[in-house]
Amino acid sequence: MGLSYTSIRTERQWRSATGLSQERFNWLAGEFGKSYQQYYEVSVEEKMKNLKQQFVFTTYEQMLFFVLFILKNTLTWDNAGLVFGISGPDAYLNFTRFFPLLQTALERLSCLPIRDLKDWQKLRSAFSDQLVLLLDGSELPVQRPEDEQQQEQAFSGKKKDTPEKYS
């Protein structure tokens, strides 16, 4: 395996790589493991014994670190695979397997952010007891769709026409 959580030495590195302290990471890994066992109805150790194949991520900590690192660091799947010593398609496949388990753990802990606020009133009522509200306005690159109709739906409308140049 490429990058591993075991190579992290400082709290700064923990927060930079995962967004969590080492203590919070270890706590969340336990909850992640419960989600794994609930979903697969078997522990990862038993699953590895039963399937008798080689696993890239053999512990809940490795799985959680992989997901958190991908979420914290905007990488293409090929680059994520390079960092973790697997192929790009395997990085995507593992992320799609592990991310729902993280969501389940966070939901069980009531730690998921509210994402479906469609109007001002819902936003106001959801955060009425909060003193400070932080919004993440990070811009993520998006692959332009090839289909013209999908392009129109994805177009933000913020770009202006470029005036034609006359010679």
Side-chain angles (χ1 to χ4, degrees), residues 125-140:
S125 65
F127 296 103
S128 62
D129 60 337
Q130 301 298 315
L131 296 175
V132 177
L133 176 64
L134 300 175
L135 299 175
D136 181 2
S138 299
E139 186 175 331
L140 297 175

Side-chain angles (χ1 to χ4, degrees), residues 34-83:
K34 291 176 188 173
S35 294
Y36 185 99
Q37 291 176 24
Q38 178 185 357
Y39 183 79
Y40 289 107
E41 299 179 346
V42 66
S43 71
V44 70
E45 295 85 8
E46 292 171 11
K47 189 174 182 183
M48 287 189 304
K49 274 192 252 179
N50 294 340
L51 291 179
K52 296 187 190 310
Q53 67 184 40
Q54 189 169 354
F55 282 58
V56 175
F57 303 103
T58 59
T59 67
Y60 303 127
E61 291 84 3
Q62 289 174 348
M63 295 173 195
L64 178 61
F65 179 73
F66 174 75
V67 172
L68 292 176
F69 188 86
I70 298 301
L71 291 172
K72 185 82 167 74
N73 303 281
T74 307
L75 298 171
T76 64
W77 295 119
D78 288 330
N79 285 334
L82 181 64
V83 168

